[in-house]
């Protein structure tokens, strides 16, 4: 039997070339269609007119009474005979019919108004008057902004949406305005947001060289993209999706019954990553747990995951016992034991890699498999540890945070704004990839990301909506893919099935575990183990949850 050749997987370069060729083909087809329409426009107009004249003739014949149809038919026949006998009669008749067809077949679409209507002009004038105190000066001999002035001199371009609201506006401002000061910019952006409508998000682009400010109303990011397998390489994690103008890459996704290309925010980890660790901040219900669940599902494709849930709400119970999940810890004792093992595992990997490099050998295989440490709300353990006479589990993160990139260890921490002061200096310094979710104040977003966003946020945002910044890069709008807890009763059947299909199979069934693990004495004894085996999962979270804190 002849073997069928396997399908060739396109490389990144070949895929880019293919996309470029498809884009060029579409552009050529669109250009050819426009050219053909321009050339055949007279023929199209005459054909449309002939069709209208024929329809009018049929309606006139149908409306004529039957007793008068005979004389009418005799009159038309006589007229045709007279035209045929006249010199140049047929030619003149054809010209007259073509002229009538061209007149009736002309484009009767009313021309769009060249300028804004009365309501739009009033809106632009009101916005102009509101900008006068900020863009005017008493010493300006020819002020661009003055009370009662003309707004058309201050706006280079303006566009409105279907609802009559401002969609895009290019504002000129005088050169003496301090556009390099963040406070001055913030005042203008706040004013424009209030006057243009607070229910939308706006992007502000300051062109300091040309003294122009471009305000664009952004469409809302899709909040209903379900969790699915993303087309990414090992070491790439999709945090969410952003605007098409912010990134140069798209991912093919299943969006309902269609396949669409959506621009993602891709976080790269590993040895060559400049942002090996991630910090996510938000308010309760903002979607930080959803982000960690999405990251965990993607990490399980190529590595092992250790989860420490400080909230203890069972958000990660669906990952317990899965292949590649080392542990899902919800108690203080289990969290300390697991993080202590993670610190020693990081040291072991560093030593093994160093010895292999000294011997001129490649790193051992067990050091090349990524290890992910996910912590949700470590501030809860920071509060319980002193009361129980134990150390803060965040202290054990210093080694994975400082040396995790070389050891292929990645740390992801999620915390709420009201407990941000409990984060240690190691977590603050070594988490260069930052995410802020939920409705946060601009000062909070800037404090976490290190730079203010160039867009405004609305008061009502869906879960998983926020901003992301990778290292010293730009600030992106972010929408986390919908990855709810499949064991939650509020989760729909479609979302539950989508998440369960992405989870790896269970390594060992929960009902087949030894019953001795359910005893508190055995659980405490197991939690005191300082260095568990790398391929053996720690104590299950269900057993440790029974231990009193």
């Amino acid at each position: 039997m002849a073997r069928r050749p396997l399908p060739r997987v396109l490389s990144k370069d070949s895929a880019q070339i293919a996309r470029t060729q498809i884009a060029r083909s579409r552009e050529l087809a669109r250009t050819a269609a426009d050219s053909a329409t321009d050339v055949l426009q007279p023929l199209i107009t005459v054909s449309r007119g002939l069709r209208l004249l024929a329809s009018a003739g049929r309606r006139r014949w149908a409306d004529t009474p039957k007793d008068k149809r005979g004389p009418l038919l005799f009159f038309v026949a006589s007229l045709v005979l007279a035209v045929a006998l006249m010199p140049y009669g047929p030619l003149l008749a054809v010209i007259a019919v073509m002229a009538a067809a061209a007149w009736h077949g002309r484009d009767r679409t009313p021309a769009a108004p060249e300028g804004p209507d009365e309501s739009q002009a009033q809106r632009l004038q009101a916005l102009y008057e509101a900008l006068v105190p900020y863009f005017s000066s008493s010493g300006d001999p020819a002020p661009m902004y003055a009370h009662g002035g003309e707004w058309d001199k201050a706006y280079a371009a303006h566009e409105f949406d279907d609802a009559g609201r401002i969609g895009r506006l290019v504002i000129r401002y005088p050169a003496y305005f301090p556009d390099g000061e963040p406070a001055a910019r913030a005042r203008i952006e706040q004013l424009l947001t209030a006057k243009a409508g607070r229910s939308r998000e706006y992007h502000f682009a300051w062109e300091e060289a040309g003294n122009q400010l471009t305000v664009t109303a952004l469409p809302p990011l899709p909040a209903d993209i379900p969790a699915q397998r993303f087309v990414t390489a090992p070491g790439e994690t999709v945090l969410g999706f952003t605007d098409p103008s912010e990134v140069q890459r798209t991912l093919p996704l299943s969006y309902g019954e269609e396949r669409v290309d959506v621009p993602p925010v891709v976080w790269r980890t590993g040895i060559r990553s400049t942002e090996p660790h991630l910090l996510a901040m938000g308010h309760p219900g903002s979607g930080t747990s959803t982000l960690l669940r999405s990251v965990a599902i993607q990490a399980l494709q190529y590595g092992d995951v250790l989860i420490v849930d400080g909230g203890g709400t069972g958000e990660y119970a669906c990952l317990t016992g899965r292949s590649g999940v080392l542990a899902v810890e919800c108690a203080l004792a289990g969290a300390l034991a697991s993080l202590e093992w993670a610190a020693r595992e990081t040291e072991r990997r560093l030593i093994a890699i160093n010895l292999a490099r000294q011997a001129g050998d490649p790193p051992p295989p067990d050091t090349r498999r990524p290890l992910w440490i996910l912590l949700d709300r470590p501030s809860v353990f920071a509060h319980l540890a002193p009361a129980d006479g134990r150390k803060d589990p965040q202290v054990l993160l210093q080694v994975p945070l400082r040396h995790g990139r070389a050891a292929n260890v990645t740390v992801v921490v999620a915390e709420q704004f009201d407990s941000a002061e409990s984060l240690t200096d190691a977590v603050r310094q070594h988490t260069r990839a930052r995410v802020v979710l939920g409705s946060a104040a601009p000062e909070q977003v800037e404090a976490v990301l290190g730079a203010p966003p160039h867009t405004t946020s609305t008061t009502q945002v869906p879960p998983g909506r926020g901003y992301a910044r990778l290292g010293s890069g730009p600030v992106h709008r972010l929408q986390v893919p919908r990855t709810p807890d499949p064991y939650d009763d509020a989760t729909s059947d479609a979302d539950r099935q989508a998440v369960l299909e992405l989870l790896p199979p269970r390594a060992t069934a929960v009902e087949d575990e030894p019953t001795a693990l359910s005893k508190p004495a055995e659980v405490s004894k197991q939690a005191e183990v300082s260095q568990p085996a790398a391929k053996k999962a720690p104590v299950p979270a269900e057993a440790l949850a029974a231990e009193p804190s």
Side-chain angles (χ1 to χ4, degrees):
M1 181 182 297
R3 296 184 178 180
R4 296 181 178 179
L6 295 176
R8 182 174 61 90
V9 179
L10 293 177
S11 63
K12 182 178 180 180
D13 296 338
S14 58
Q16 182 65 26
I17 294 174
R19 288 195 297 268
T20 304
Q21 293 177 350
I22 293 174
R24 290 179 178 176
S25 301
R26 292 177 179 175
E27 186 65 25
L28 290 175
R30 189 179 300 109
T31 303
D34 295 340
S35 302
T37 302
D38 295 338
V39 172
L40 299 177
Q41 186 62 36
L43 181 60
I44 295 174
T45 302
V46 172
S47 301
R48 187 188 303 117
L50 291 175
R51 185 172 65 252
L52 294 176
L53 291 176
S55 300
R58 287 195 300 269
R59 288 195 302 269
R60 181 62 182 273
W61 179 261
D63 295 339
T64 303
K66 292 184 178 180
D67 56 344
K68 295 182 179 181
R69 290 182 179 180
L72 179 61
L73 185 60
F74 178 76
F75 174 75
V76 172
S78 301
L79 183 62
V80 171
L81 181 61
V83 170
L85 295 177
M86 289 177 56
Y88 304 102
L91 179 60
L92 295 176
V94 172
I95 294 176
V97 171
M98 292 296 103
W103 175 257
H104 286 280
R106 70 187 187 278
D107 188 6
R108 301 183 182 183
T109 304
E114 297 181 358
D117 55 19
E118 184 178 356
S119 61
Q120 295 174 355
Q122 293 178 357
R123 185 184 295 269
L124 293 175
Q125 183 65 29
L127 184 59
Y128 172 83
E129 294 290 342
L131 292 173
V132 169
Y134 301 95
F135 288 156
S136 62
S137 177
S138 58
D140 193 350
M144 184 185 304
Y145 289 83
H147 293 289
E150 299 179 358
W151 57 265
D152 53 351
K153 297 181 180 180
Y155 302 148
H158 54 81
E159 296 178 3
F160 290 85
D161 57 9
D162 297 336
R165 299 178 299 179
I166 296 177
R168 182 175 178 272
L169 186 63
V170 181
I171 302 175
R172 299 189 184 100
Y173 57 88
Y176 52 78
F177 176 76
D179 52 3
E181 299 179 3
R185 288 188 175 189
R187 288 194 298 268
I188 300 299
E189 293 175 0
Q190 183 179 5
L191 173 64
L192 294 175
T193 302
K195 292 297 182 180
R198 295 183 180 274
S199 60
R200 296 180 297 170
E201 296 181 74
Y202 299 93
H203 179 269
F204 300 94
W206 292 84
E207 186 182 353
E208 301 178 5
N211 297 326
Q212 287 187 353
L213 169 61
T214 303
V215 185
T216 307
L218 299 175
L221 294 176
D224 52 351
I225 297 180
Q228 54 192 284
R229 291 295 181 195
F230 303 118
V231 184
T232 56
E236 292 183 346
T237 303
V238 176
L239 300 179
F241 310 100
T242 185
D243 299 306
S245 60
E246 297 295 329
V247 295
Q248 300 179 355
R249 176 179 177 180
T250 58
L251 290 180
L253 301 178
S254 297
Y255 189 66
E257 298 180 354
E258 302 178 356
R259 297 284 293 180
V260 296
D261 293 337
V262 182
V265 178
V266 179
W267 173 39
R268 294 174 176 83
T269 58
I271 298 177
R272 294 177 176 84
S273 174
T274 57
E275 303 88 18
H277 309 296
L278 174 70
L279 173 63
M281 300 291 296
H283 293 289
S286 59
T288 54
S289 299
T290 301
L291 174 62
L292 261 66
R293 200 160 34 241
S294 176
V295 171
I297 292 176
Q298 298 180 60
L300 287 174
Q301 299 182 64
Y302 308 105
D304 299 324
V305 176
L306 173 63
I307 302 175
V308 177
D309 183 12
T313 57
E315 293 281 347
Y316 310 96
C318 60
L319 297 171
T320 303
R322 301 285 179 176
S323 177
V325 180
L326 301 181
V328 179
E329 302 292 351
C330 300
L332 177 60
L336 288 172
S338 298
L339 293 180
E340 185 177 356
W341 170 83
R344 295 188 178 182
E345 172 66 13
T346 305
E347 296 175 349
R348 185 197 67 81
R349 291 189 175 202
L350 288 175
I351 295 174
I353 293 174
N354 189 19
L355 293 177
R357 289 176 178 175
Q358 291 180 3
D361 299 330
D366 58 347
T367 62
R368 288 180 292 184
R369 182 172 176 81
L371 173 62
W372 291 72
I373 305 174
L374 308 183
L375 283 85
D376 193 358
R377 298 202 63 188
S379 60
V380 177
F381 293 137
H383 175 73
L384 296 177
D388 200 19
R390 303 189 181 187
K391 58 183 177 181
D392 187 356
Q394 296 185 68
V395 178
L396 300 173
L397 288 177
Q398 293 184 4
V399 175
L401 286 172
R402 292 179 179 177
H403 309 286
R405 181 174 62 176
N408 216 354
V409 178
T410 303
V411 179
V412 181
V413 180
E415 190 52 80
Q416 298 180 2
F417 279 111
D418 54 1
S419 304
E421 66 278 357
S422 63
L423 295 176
T424 60
D425 294 338
V427 175
R428 298 172 184 268
Q429 294 175 2
H430 296 282
T431 52
R432 289 177 46 83
R434 300 291 181 88
V435 172
V436 176
L437 298 180
S439 180
E443 295 79 9
Q444 292 177 323
V445 177
E446 184 176 1
V448 176
L449 302 182
H454 297 290
T455 60
T456 59
S457 179
T458 58
T459 55
Q460 300 293 334
V461 295
R465 174 69 178 83
Y467 298 96
R469 189 187 186 201
L470 305 179
S472 58
V475 179
H476 301 288
R477 284 204 307 167
L478 181 71
Q479 177 61 53
V480 178
R482 198 174 62 227
T483 316
D485 181 12
Y487 296 165
D488 190 358
D489 296 337
T491 304
S492 62
D493 295 337
D495 293 340
R496 180 181 295 107
Q497 187 64 27
V499 175
L500 291 177
E501 290 178 355
L502 298 177
L503 296 177
R506 292 189 179 275
T508 56
V510 178
E511 59 271 9
D512 295 337
E513 293 178 355
T515 57
L517 292 179
S518 60
K519 298 180 180 180
E522 294 294 330
V523 172
S524 301
K525 181 178 179 181
Q526 182 69 16
E528 294 297 332
V529 178
S530 60
Q531 188 175 0
K535 296 301 181 180
K536 182 178 180 181
V539 182
E542 292 83 358
L544 291 178
E547 182 185 4
S549 299

